[in-house]
Amino acid sequence: MPLIIQVSLFLPYKYGYDFPGKRTFKSIFSSKGAELQSLVSKATGANYLWDGNPEYWGKFSPVLFPVVGALKNGTYLFEGNEYKLPRHGFARDNEFKAEKISDTEAVFTLNQNEETLKVYPFNFTLKLHYKLIGTSLSCTYAVLNPGTNELLFSIGGHPAFAVPTNEKLNYNDYFLEFNKDENLTYYKINGDLIGDETDVIYMNNHSLPLTHQLFYKDALVFKTLKSDTISLKNTNNAHGLSFSFKDFPFFGIWAAKDADFVCLEPWCGIADGINHNQELKDKEGIIALPAKGNWERTWSVTCF
């Protein structure tokens, strides 16, 4: 199982899980962060996911919870108390319980614990449910509020896809194709926070060419994206992927400087704005889940 060995070299985790059996694609996960770490075509051997090279960015597809992006001064306020959380929260660095592992499904669960309650005073159950069907993989984020008070949270995805997937191509051979005809108005990052300044990328034929320079000033952050499917394609062959994300109000596109990947990031929540008052209840995009309530969102990737 060389791919499991490869994964273990980059991130310390207790267990590696894969989907065995006679499937078109093979996926590998880590119980740390319930992270998808590989999506390999059994036909071609191509890994559609970034390989996690720590020289650039040592993650693969982390879940962002209970915040997306950075907090102003790394701090939020709740009921008169001050709490600190790192950028993108803590779920990606916590050990999840593997509830179900089969040929086609993997379900991981994280609950509040003594350490999370010090920085996030809420009871919660977070489930990541992966399902493999042919050449498609879906990821469902399910949040349950087991408490008696409202649960305030944000959540988002951060999957990094390999660009290119073989040695015959280079980064500039690739482009992103949006399923809606639109120009891309994005918010500029200001010291890890969302600034007031916007810019526009004018697309030709629904397409955004990929260049490393596109991300030299950090991520492209969208609040008004019309598209809910983005395809990663290249100009040399018919192979690529389609990434679908319905009902995620925010979206980010990012790559580390000069790294051979692109992150397609569906978010329910967003980094603090530069003028935010730091109150968690007033945070842009915050989800208020009633006591005993359930909440779900799903993104999926189809490889071709």
Side-chain angles (χ1 to χ4, degrees), residues 89-289:
F90 52 69
R92 61 182 181 170
D93 295 316
N94 269 255
E95 189 74 18
F96 281 64
K97 178 184 178 181
E99 283 198 354
K100 178 180 180 180
I101 304 295
S102 74
D103 283 3
T104 57
E105 292 182 84
V107 180
F108 298 92
T109 301
L110 178 69
N111 295 302
Q112 79 282 345
N113 56 51
E114 184 178 346
E115 293 304 311
T116 66
L117 289 170
K118 292 177 182 177
V119 295
Y120 181 63
F122 297 92
N123 294 327
F124 67 88
T125 297
L126 169 62
K127 290 182 181 288
L128 268 66
H129 183 183
Y130 297 97
K131 190 171 185 179
L132 187 63
I133 304 175
T135 59
S136 296
L137 177 75
S138 65
C139 175
T140 297
Y141 303 131
V143 180
L144 166 68
N145 179 3
T148 57
N149 297 314
E150 205 171 49
L151 170 61
L152 302 179
F153 71 95
S154 297
I155 193 168
H158 204 308
F161 297 103
V163 181
T165 55
N166 68 62
E167 297 177 353
K168 296 180 180 179
L169 301 174
N170 59 55
Y171 203 86
N172 291 349
D173 292 324
Y174 282 77
F175 61 94
L176 297 176
E177 183 178 87
F178 294 70
N179 70 322
K180 301 292 186 181
D181 186 15
E182 59 183 316
N183 292 315
L184 303 176
T185 299
Y186 67 93
Y187 283 76
K188 295 184 177 181
I189 303 290
N190 186 335
D192 289 339
L193 304 180
I194 305 300
D196 295 328
E197 187 178 358
T198 63
D199 206 344
V200 181
I201 297 173
Y202 296 94
M203 288 199 295
N204 181 22
N205 196 28
H206 297 220
S207 296
L208 173 63
L210 285 183
T211 65
H212 288 306
Q213 291 80 7
L214 188 62
F215 308 109
Y216 279 1
K217 294 183 179 180
D218 214 321
L220 307 177
V221 175
F222 304 100
K223 297 184 181 183
T224 58
L225 198 64
K226 297 177 182 177
S227 295
D228 58 13
T229 298
I230 299 175
S231 297
L232 175 61
K233 298 182 175 181
N234 71 81
T235 57
N236 289 17
N237 62 48
H239 294 297
L241 60 87
S242 290
F243 186 80
S244 298
F245 50 98
K246 188 178 181 180
D247 296 327
F248 287 86
F250 307 100
F251 200 85
I253 303 177
W254 175 78
K257 186 175 181 180
D258 295 327
D260 286 339
F261 68 81
V262 62
C263 286
L264 303 178
E265 306 179 38
W267 300 332
C268 289
I270 196 169
D272 282 352
I274 56 175
N275 298 314
H276 180 46
N277 64 11
Q278 297 181 265
E279 289 284 351
L280 187 62
K281 63 181 179 61
D282 297 331
K283 183 173 174 58
E284 185 175 11
I286 199 73
I287 298 162
L289 185 62

